[in-house]
């Protein structure tokens, strides 16, 4: 059918999931300010001919350097959750002091600069003491220091304006700062960029920088974690004061004038720049890159508005509106980003499954429902929480994982007594013993772990090679699921999905995209490498008896495949069972040379239809609450046995659905089959009629040991 | 009054702060009377009260915003441009009542935008009103006004002029208006439903919302009310000096207003204080400003002194109403 064909190719070619993954990245925060910058360039570039040229920009470079200093200071304060309005006055004060000390008194330039910066730092210290230690409101407090410092500058200018304008001495350093350029860039801009780079390192790589982000992110948590909240906040104001003073020094070098309008309104400009760049009011979110973006945008807007020579008031109207718009976007973005993300993250694709085989009781179907699992013995009833997989060692002890991150051991022979064998964390899922008796475990949320017989837990692998074009970081393991060990010691394990965590594993079914993969861990060089990717929820893995290949299950694909990792057919992949009536989970060896397979849930016609209608599932995921979504049926399941040719030779059901409605794993050991379930509270023990009473899984892999 | 008890602070603290301010006012007043020659004259005291009346009316508007845990920094800009627009319309031949109505409408619209930005877009009040003050001043100045200084020409000798410079039984009409607005504001805050809501919101906005207070509409109401009262103050100002200088939008007048409110004991964290606090604060600041003017203190020095007083007032406020690391709100700048 044509429409089916089109739908299939539309979902094969358009990577819908990328949108949600991009939204989940942290750098997306910079996308909006960057877009605003481009928009600004487009608007003013068309209004003012010659603006978007190298010479057009060169006129702004020196000013940009000064503004960057001020915006950096403002951003640092804002990152810690405050605001510093005094920057404009400090800027003017530093400008005046520089001229006073150099032009009027003729002091050497290094001393002049040091004193100007010190003076800015002192104003910052006052702010920092009042806001950090006395915990006054930052906005009002720095507003007051703004007025006080501004008044002092005005009084000084009144007294000395004429005297500071004409230098009594010259200085090569001063001339260098004032006039020299380096590849067309003025000294002010170069120094500003160097300081910005240093500030970036400080914020992202050094402990004091992290503290600033921590305090801004959650002041209370930072306080409770024992961080010096007050000192951290005070420090940001000192830094802001010094940086604003640095801007003032370069302003003095450039213009050599002290007017009463120096730095007036600079605080609003810097604030607009910081917020426009995406630094959040209230703290915790922001970066140096954002500050730079904002500074460039604001400078282009403000200088373009001046060049357009608008009527009185129009410039302040435009700045006010830009400021309001920037804050509004910031506030709404911060508030709604996660909502937007949760709306678009789930991105279903097209999956057409063949009609499911019948399971009708009494029919001739290989999967016909029976009640053979009704008579199981129960182990650990009510004491277990999520025994996804089970395994037995040579001494017949029974191991299983729990949702609490423990590996629990039931003591043979009656399995009434249990102990916590080891605590790993995460949710231990698939298990296997290696040739030395170590228990290897796949842990959801953590990766591949090893428990030595002396109970020492060690990590084997938690990352693999990152694929070239993935947006999300797929080198980390989110949901390691099941594993098996090749005769040469290599461990092949499945990661069910790279897009969802354990708590929402079933949401992956709504996507039905190949999000899963199989990874090989090589103990010889401790490397991990993705072997097969784009699997539909890679799940159970079991070594075939030939020692050269393994079977693996794709849960949402309802099929079993076989992969040769060595030998003559190395690299080949064949589908063994194409169309199961349910969702396959773990696979394990049986004593008669065949393989056990757990079906965790049975397919339903409704969900199968839904899989072929990705638009329907998308609308569902976007419009209704997640507990109303149509999920695959996970309430009934069974255990089947298949041979190497993929033919079903046996089928076990708990027809009444009392003990084992959902089965995720089964393990044969000495004539019994042990049944696990990821949301069950028990392990079942079923006597297999006619099975070899001496056969053990460990023995079948590594030979009998005493 | 039970609302104060509910705020968790013993009532004597407010009484005490108010009494202290009253005592300081008395001392300052006496000191100026003794040391300054022209201070204790009828004309000076009249002009003192008249000047203070405008500050006081603005303070009343600001007080109800601060009590609801907000702040209105656009109050002076709004007053300046809306009244200047009124004067310009009247000068252009429009009937004075219609000009007033249009000017008031302009002020209310600016207040409405403030309220919407704060309540629905959720921009912090201090920020929204700061930017809105700049934007509103710029817009009206560029789009409606011819000049920075607009004179009162038409209607200058009728009832309109009386608003700012008339007298009732010897009391300047501006003072009478201040009293009336203060009384109305008191009734509004303590005996009307929205007024009680404002206290509840200032005390604990989340709890207020949970208990069913229509928080967002009430916030909008606050800023519209603030704009309306500011317009009245602007009319008083314009009719007493026969002009409106729009550049006061960029002056420090708004910080004088905050000073008046905070110094009387209205906590910046909201929910605390009452109209009497504004009256007391107005008296103290008015006396100080008048005294400094008579002493011919340089304008910049005056603003340093005022700023230092404001700083001390906020420090005392933060000591009396301390903010706790465990309960202080994130992003509360």
């Amino acid at each position: 059918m044509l429409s089916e064909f089109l739908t299939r190719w539309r979902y094969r070619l358009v990577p819908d999931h990328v949108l949600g993954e991009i939204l989940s990245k942290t750098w997306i925060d910079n996308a909006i300010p960057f877009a605003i910058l481009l928009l600004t360039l487009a608007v003013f570039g068309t209004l003012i001919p010659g603006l978007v040229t190298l010479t057009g920009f060169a006129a702004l470079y020196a000013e940009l350097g000064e503004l960057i200093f001020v915006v950096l200071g403002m951003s640092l304060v804002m990152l810690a959750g405050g605001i510093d309005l005094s920057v404009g006055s400090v800027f003017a004060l530093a400008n005046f002091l520089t001229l006073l000390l150099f032009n009027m008194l003729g002091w050497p330039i290094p001393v002049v600069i040091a004193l100007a910066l010190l003076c800015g730092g002192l104003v910052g210290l006052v702010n920092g003491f009042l806001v950090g230690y006395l915990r006054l409101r930052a906005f009002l407090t720095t507003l007051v220091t703004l007025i006080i410092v501004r008044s002092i500058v005005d009084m000084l200018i009144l007294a000395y304006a004429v005297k500071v304008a004409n230098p009594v001495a010259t200085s090569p350093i001063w001339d260098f700062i004032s006039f020299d350029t380096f590849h067309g860039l003025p000294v002010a801009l170069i120094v500003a960029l160097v300081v910005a780079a240093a500030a970036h390192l400080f914020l992202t790589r050094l402990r004091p920088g992290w503290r600033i982000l921590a305090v801004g992110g959650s002041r209370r948590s930072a306080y409770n974690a024992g961080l010096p909240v007050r000192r951290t906040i005070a420090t940001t104001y000192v830094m802001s004061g010094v940086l604003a003073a640095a801007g003032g020094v370069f302003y003095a070098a450039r213009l050599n004038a002290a007017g009463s309008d120096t730095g007036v309104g600079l605080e609003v400009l810097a604030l607009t720049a910081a917020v426009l760049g995406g630094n959040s009011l209230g703290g915790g979110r922001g970066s140096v890159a954002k500050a730079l973006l904002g500074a460039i945008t604001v400078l282009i807007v403000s200088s373009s508005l001046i060049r357009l020579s608008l009527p009185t008031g129009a410039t302040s109207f435009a700045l006010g509106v830009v400021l309001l718009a920037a804050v509004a976007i910031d506030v709404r973005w911060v508030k709604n980003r996660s909502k937007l993300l949760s709306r678009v993250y789930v991105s279903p694709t097209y999956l057409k499954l063949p009609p499911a085989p019948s399971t009708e009781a009494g029919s001739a179907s290989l999967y016909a429902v029976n009640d053979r699992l009704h008579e199981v013995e129960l182990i650990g009833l009510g004491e277990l929480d999520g025994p996804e997989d089970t395994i037995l060692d040579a001494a017949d002890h029974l191991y299983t994982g729990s949702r609490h991150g423990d590996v629990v051991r039931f003591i043979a022979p009656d399995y009434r007594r249990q102990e916590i064998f080891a605590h790993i964390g995460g949710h231990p899922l698939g298990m296997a013993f290696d040739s030395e008796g170590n228990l290897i475990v796949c842990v959801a949320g953590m990766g591949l772990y090893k428990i030595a017989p002396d109970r020492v837990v060690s990590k084997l692998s938690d990352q693999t090679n990152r694929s070239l074009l993935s947006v999300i970081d797929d080198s980390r393991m989110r949901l390691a699921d099941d594993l098996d060990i090749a005769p040469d010691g290599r461990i092949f394990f499945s990661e069910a999905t790279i897009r969802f965590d354990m708590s929402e594993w079933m949401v992956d079914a709504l996507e039905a995209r190949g999000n899963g993969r199989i990874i090989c861990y090589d103990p010889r060089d401790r490397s991990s490498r993705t072997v097969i990717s784009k699997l539909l929820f890679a799940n159970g893995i079991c070594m075939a008896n030939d020692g050269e290949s393994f079977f693996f299950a794709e849960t949402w694909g309802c099929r079993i495949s076989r992969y040769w990792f060595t030998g003559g057919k190395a690299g080949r992949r064949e589908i063994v069972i194409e169309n199961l009536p349910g969702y396959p989970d773990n696979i394990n060896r049986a004593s008669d040379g065949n393989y056990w397979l757990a079906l965790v849930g049975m397919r339903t016609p409704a969900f199968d239809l839904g899989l072929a209608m990705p638009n329907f599932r998308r609308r569902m995921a976007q419009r209704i609450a997640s507990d109303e979504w149509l999920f695959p049926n996970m309430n009934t399941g069974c255990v089947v046995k298949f041979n190497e040719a993929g033919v079903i030779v046996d089928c076990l059901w708990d027809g009444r659905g009392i003990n084992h409605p959902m089965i995720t794993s089964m393990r044969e050991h000495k004539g019994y089959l042990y049944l696990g379930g990821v949301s069950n509270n028990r392990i079942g023990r079923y006597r297999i009629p006619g099975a070899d009473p001496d056969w053990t899984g460990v023995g079948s892999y590594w030979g009998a040991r005493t | 009054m039970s609302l104060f008890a509910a705020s968790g602070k013993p009532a004597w603290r407010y009484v005490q702060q108010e009494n202290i301010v009253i005592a300081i006012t008395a001392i300052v007043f006496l000191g100026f009377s003794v040391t300054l020659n022209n201070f204790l004259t009828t004309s000076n005291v009249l002009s003192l009260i008249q000047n203070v009346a405008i500050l006081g009316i603005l303070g009343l508007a600001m007080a109800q915003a601060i009590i609801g845990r907000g702040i209105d920094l656009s109050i002076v800009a709004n007053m300046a441009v809306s009244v200047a627009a009124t004067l310009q319309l009247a000068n252009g031949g429009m009937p004075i009542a219609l000009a007033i109505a249009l000017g008031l409408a302009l002020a209310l619209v600016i207040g409405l935008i403030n309220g919407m930005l704060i309540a629905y877009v959720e921009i912090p009040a201090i920020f929204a009103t700061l930017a809105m003050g700049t934007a509103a001043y710029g817009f009206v100045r560029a789009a409606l006004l011819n000049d920075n200084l607009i004179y009162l020409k038409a209607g200058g000798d009728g009832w309109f002029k009386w608003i700012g410079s008339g007298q009732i039984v010897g009391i300047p009409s501006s003072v009478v208006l201040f009293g009336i607005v203060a009384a109305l504001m008191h009734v509004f805050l303590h005996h009307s439903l929205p007024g009680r809501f404002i206290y509840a919101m200032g005390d604990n906005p989340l709890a207020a919302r949970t208990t069913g207070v229509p928080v967002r509409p009430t916030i909008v109401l606050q800023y519209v009310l603030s704009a309306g009262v500011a317009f009245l103050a602007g009319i008083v100002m314009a009719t007493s000096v026969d002009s409106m200088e729009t550049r006061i939008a960029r002056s420090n007048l708004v910080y004088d207003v905050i000073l008046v409110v905070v110094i009387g004991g209205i906590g910046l964290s909201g929910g605390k204080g009452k109209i009497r606090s504004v009256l007391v604060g107005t008296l103290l600041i008015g006396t100080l400003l008048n005294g400094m003017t008579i002493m011919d203190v340089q304008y910049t020095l005056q603003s340093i002194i005022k700023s230092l007083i404001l700083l001390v007032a906020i420090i005392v406020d933060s000591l009396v109403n301390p903010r706790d690391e465990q309960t202080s709100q994130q992003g509360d700048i």
Side-chain angles (χ1 to χ4, degrees):
Chain A
M1 265 166 66
L2 181 66
S3 68
E4 219 179 278
F5 174 82
L6 289 176
T7 312
R8 183 161 68 238
W9 279 96
R10 176 243 174 279
Y11 282 98
R12 196 170 290 183
L13 294 177
V14 182
D16 303 73
H17 60 294
V18 172
L19 178 64
E21 294 181 359
I22 287 176
L23 276 176
S24 68
K25 305 298 275 189
T26 47
W27 50 254
I28 188 68
D29 268 357
N30 288 343
I32 292 179
F34 189 69
I36 292 175
L37 174 60
L38 292 182
L39 185 73
T40 312
L41 282 176
V43 169
F44 289 108
T46 46
L47 285 178
I48 305 172
L51 176 77
V52 192
T53 58
L54 276 180
T55 46
F57 285 132
L60 299 177
Y61 280 156
E63 246 180 289
L64 180 61
E66 291 150 21
L67 186 61
I68 284 176
F69 279 115
V70 182
V71 176
L72 276 180
M74 179 71 86
S75 302
L76 279 173
V77 173
M78 282 172 61
L79 276 176
I83 198 165
D84 187 0
L85 296 178
S86 70
V87 288
S89 296
V90 173
F91 184 89
L93 181 65
N95 171 53
F96 183 82
L97 263 185
T98 310
L99 296 176
L100 181 81
L101 296 179
F102 180 66
N103 283 355
M104 203 172 117
L105 303 176
W107 290 14
I109 282 296
V111 179
V112 171
I113 293 178
L115 279 177
L117 296 185
L118 182 72
C119 199
L122 281 177
V123 177
L125 192 62
V126 171
N127 283 331
F129 176 74
L130 292 174
V131 178
Y133 286 94
L134 292 185
R135 284 177 301 162
L136 301 189
R137 268 152 213 284
F139 197 101
L140 273 177
T141 310
T142 55
L143 203 74
V144 170
T145 44
L146 165 85
I147 297 170
I148 293 177
V149 175
R150 166 67 57 195
S151 306
I152 293 173
V153 172
D154 282 348
M155 287 164 77
L156 288 171
I157 286 177
L158 216 60
Y160 298 106
V162 188
K163 290 180 190 162
V164 299
N166 300 308
V168 294
T170 57
S171 152
I173 310 177
W174 193 239
D175 291 344
F176 172 72
I177 297 173
S178 306
F179 305 116
D180 271 19
T181 57
F182 183 78
H183 288 296
L185 300 180
V187 176
L189 182 57
I190 293 171
V191 177
L193 291 178
V194 170
V195 170
H200 177 73
L201 287 180
F202 171 75
L203 280 177
T204 55
R205 300 289 186 278
L206 296 182
R207 189 168 303 186
W210 293 356
R211 285 185 177 161
I212 290 176
L213 289 167
V215 169
S218 173
R219 187 182 166 124
R220 190 184 309 167
S221 304
Y223 176 78
N224 290 340
L227 296 188
V229 171
R230 296 178 177 196
R231 197 175 73 217
T232 306
I233 290 176
T235 317
T236 60
Y237 285 93
V238 176
M239 289 191 282
S240 168
V242 172
L243 286 167
V249 169
F250 282 108
Y251 183 84
R254 181 163 62 97
L255 294 180
N256 198 30
S260 59
D261 59 342
T262 307
V264 170
L266 186 62
E267 63 282 346
V268 177
L269 212 60
L271 190 60
T272 312
V275 177
L276 202 56
N279 295 299
S280 277
L281 278 176
R285 188 176 140 273
S287 67
V288 170
K290 292 188 171 87
L292 294 183
L293 274 178
I296 296 171
T297 310
V298 159
L299 190 65
I300 291 175
V301 171
S302 65
S303 64
S304 302
L305 286 175
I306 292 169
R307 276 208 232 175
L308 286 170
S309 58
L310 298 172
T312 319
T315 310
S316 82
F317 171 61
L319 275 180
V321 169
V322 168
L323 182 53
L324 277 178
V327 184
I329 290 172
D330 177 63
V331 168
R332 303 315 295 182
W333 170 254
V334 170
K335 184 172 180 185
N336 290 318
R337 179 184 162 180
S338 58
K339 273 192 211 164
L340 180 69
L341 182 61
S342 70
R343 264 179 71 95
V344 302
Y345 193 78
V346 178
S347 69
T349 62
Y350 177 81
L351 177 66
K352 179 92 177 165
L353 294 172
S358 162
T359 58
E360 197 174 322
S363 69
S365 166
L366 296 168
Y367 303 104
V369 173
N370 54 51
D371 201 19
R372 287 162 63 186
L373 293 184
H374 182 64
E375 297 303 324
V376 295
E377 302 167 42
L378 298 178
I379 298 170
L381 176 64
E383 297 163 7
L384 286 166
D385 191 357
E388 203 262 357
D389 197 8
T390 57
I391 197 162
L392 294 102
D393 64 9
D396 301 339
H397 300 310
L398 173 66
Y399 299 79
T400 188
S402 90
R403 209 155 58 91
H404 309 282
D406 301 322
V407 171
V408 179
R409 173 155 83 168
F410 285 88
I411 309 297
D414 57 0
Y415 305 115
R416 292 192 189 284
R417 204 158 56 80
Q418 59 157 312
E419 61 180 4
I420 291 183
F421 182 61
H423 178 82
I424 306 177
H427 188 167
L429 300 177
M431 299 174 170
F433 278 107
D434 71 4
S435 58
E436 289 154 9
N438 298 311
L439 182 59
I440 314 293
V441 187
C442 277
V443 186
M446 293 176 75
L448 189 67
Y449 280 73
K450 176 174 92 174
I451 309 173
D454 60 0
R455 304 186 179 203
V456 173
V457 176
S458 55
K459 181 183 80 182
L460 294 182
S461 169
D462 63 357
Q463 58 181 346
T464 175
N465 56 308
R466 181 165 179 175
S467 51
L468 192 62
L469 291 175
S470 72
V471 179
I472 51 170
D473 184 357
D474 66 353
S475 65
R476 307 297 298 188
M477 289 168 197
R478 292 183 91 149
L479 187 44
D481 196 330
D482 194 23
L483 76 156
D484 212 349
I485 306 174
D488 61 4
R490 277 189 289 172
I491 300 169
F492 290 90
F493 62 106
S494 60
E495 186 179 22
T497 169
I498 56 172
R499 277 172 54 82
F500 295 93
D501 292 325
M502 180 68 189
S503 58
E504 42 187 17
W505 66 276
M506 253 199 279
V507 180
D508 195 68
L510 292 184
E511 296 207 335
R513 180 189 295 99
N515 293 329
R517 56 187 175 175
I518 289 174
I519 300 166
C520 171
Y521 169 78
D522 194 330
R524 287 164 295 194
D525 57 1
R526 299 180 176 205
S527 65
S528 299
R529 180 175 61 83
T530 305
V531 185
I532 313 171
S533 56
K534 295 196 187 331
L535 297 175
L536 288 157
F537 208 81
N539 206 322
I541 288 194
C542 180
M543 284 296 147
N545 289 314
D546 64 1
E548 297 183 343
S549 60
F550 58 79
F551 296 96
F552 65 89
E554 286 176 86
T555 300
W556 311 136
C558 303
R559 62 183 177 227
I560 307 297
S561 307
R562 184 171 183 178
Y563 178 80
W564 281 265
F565 54 88
T566 186
K569 294 170 86 177
R572 266 187 66 180
R573 182 172 147 190
E574 277 175 12
I575 292 179
V576 180
I577 306 177
E578 197 170 16
N579 188 26
L580 287 161
Y583 302 105
D585 205 302
N586 284 8
I587 312 172
N588 281 310
R589 287 183 184 176
S591 56
D592 54 5
N594 296 323
Y595 304 90
W596 294 109
L597 167 66
L599 296 183
V600 60
M602 304 310 288
R603 284 160 60 182
T604 58
F607 195 77
D608 282 1
L609 185 64
L611 285 176
M613 298 164 70
N615 276 329
F616 156 71
R617 279 177 289 143
R618 169 177 298 120
R619 286 197 304 276
M620 176 176 80
Q622 287 182 350
R623 292 183 195 173
I624 60 176
S626 56
D627 56 350
E628 308 272 359
W629 290 353
L630 179 64
F631 279 110
N633 157 40
M634 290 290 157
N635 296 325
T636 54
C638 64
V639 174
V640 297
K641 193 197 272 183
F642 66 92
N643 63 21
E644 297 225 344
V647 178
I648 304 298
V649 294
D650 202 359
C651 186
L652 307 173
W653 286 85
D654 179 11
R656 281 172 261 186
I658 295 168
N659 284 322
H660 289 283
M662 181 205 206
I663 302 171
T664 53
S665 71
M666 68 274 107
R667 186 80 67 174
E668 184 174 343
H669 185 84
K670 294 192 174 171
Y672 285 93
L673 197 62
Y674 296 83
L675 305 161
V678 72
S679 44
N680 236 337
N681 65 349
R682 66 196 74 182
I683 291 172
R685 186 172 187 244
Y686 169 71
R687 173 183 284 284
I688 311 166
D692 178 356
D694 297 321
W695 187 91
T696 66
V698 177
S700 114
Y701 278 83
W702 313 114
R705 282 180 292 142
T706 50
Chain B
M1 294 304 113
S2 60
L3 275 165
F4 294 109
S7 71
K9 289 264 185 279
W12 59 265
R13 268 199 156 151
Y14 302 97
V15 176
Q16 196 182 45
Q17 191 176 345
E18 251 172 46
N19 288 344
I20 290 172
V21 175
I22 290 173
I24 293 175
T25 313
I27 293 168
V28 170
F29 194 87
L30 282 177
F32 282 156
S33 310
V34 174
T35 53
L36 298 178
N37 281 335
N38 300 324
F39 187 78
L40 201 62
T41 59
T42 316
S43 65
N44 183 55
V45 169
L46 270 184
S47 90
L48 185 159
I49 297 178
Q50 202 158 3
N51 288 336
V52 153
I54 295 161
L55 201 59
I57 297 175
L58 288 172
L60 291 171
M62 183 70 90
Q64 57 89 23
I66 289 181
I67 287 171
R69 204 177 271 198
I71 197 165
D72 189 354
L73 296 181
S74 69
I75 197 166
V76 173
N78 193 350
M79 165 188 93
V81 295
S82 56
V83 171
T86 302
L87 296 190
Q88 174 148 325
L89 289 175
N91 292 345
M94 186 181 278
I96 191 77
L98 184 56
I100 291 177
L102 286 177
L104 179 63
L106 175 65
L108 295 184
V109 166
I110 294 172
L112 185 69
I113 297 175
N114 270 333
M116 302 293 255
L117 287 174
I118 295 160
Y120 292 94
V121 188
E122 296 173 9
I123 299 177
I126 204 160
F127 212 83
T129 53
L130 178 81
M132 196 55 205
T134 313
Y137 163 78
F139 175 74
V140 178
R141 176 69 187 81
L144 301 179
L145 303 179
N146 303 327
D147 203 350
N148 286 325
L149 182 62
I150 308 287
Y151 287 101
L152 171 62
K153 291 172 192 154
D157 44 343
W159 57 271
F160 185 54
K161 174 74 182 152
W162 177 88
I163 294 176
S165 49
Q167 282 191 348
I168 298 175
V169 289
I171 304 170
S173 53
S174 58
V175 179
V176 174
L177 276 173
F178 177 36
I180 291 172
V181 175
L184 288 177
M185 196 62 92
H186 175 84
V187 172
F188 169 72
L189 282 177
H190 293 283
H191 301 287
S192 82
L193 206 53
R196 310 282 290 209
F197 285 167
I198 287 175
Y199 272 105
M201 277 157 42
D203 215 27
N204 188 336
L206 288 178
R209 193 174 69 181
T210 310
T211 44
V213 171
V215 169
R216 286 175 159 176
T218 310
I219 290 177
V220 175
L221 174 70
Q222 276 183 292
Y223 291 91
V224 172
L225 186 63
S226 161
V229 176
F231 180 76
L232 177 66
I235 292 292
V236 172
M237 179 184 267
T239 49
S240 66
V241 298
D242 285 339
S243 66
M244 175 52 81
E245 169 59 83
T246 52
R247 274 176 297 194
I248 61 164
R250 293 171 152 189
S251 72
N252 294 338
L253 181 59
V254 69
Y255 309 123
D256 290 353
V257 177
I258 295 174
L259 183 57
V260 157
V261 173
V262 173
I263 212 160
I266 292 181
L268 281 171
S269 48
K272 304 180 179 81
K274 40 197 152 176
I275 293 307
R276 210 163 62 208
S277 321
V278 183
L279 301 184
V280 172
T282 310
L283 272 182
L284 175 59
I285 299 308
T287 312
L288 275 174
L289 290 181
N290 186 273
M292 287 197 291
T293 309
I294 292 178
M295 283 191 284
D296 201 16
V297 177
Q298 197 188 342
Y299 176 72
T300 46
L301 190 59
Q302 275 197 33
S303 39
I304 292 181
I305 293 171
K306 278 188 295 186
S307 305
L308 287 176
I309 295 172
L310 179 55
L311 199 57
V312 172
I314 329 177
I315 292 174
V316 170
D317 174 52
S318 84
L319 293 178
V320 174
N321 307 309
R323 293 203 289 166
D324 191 292
E325 296 289 3
Q326 302 293 350
T327 56
S328 67
Q329 299 213 321
Q330 193 70 30
D332 194 6
I333 51 176

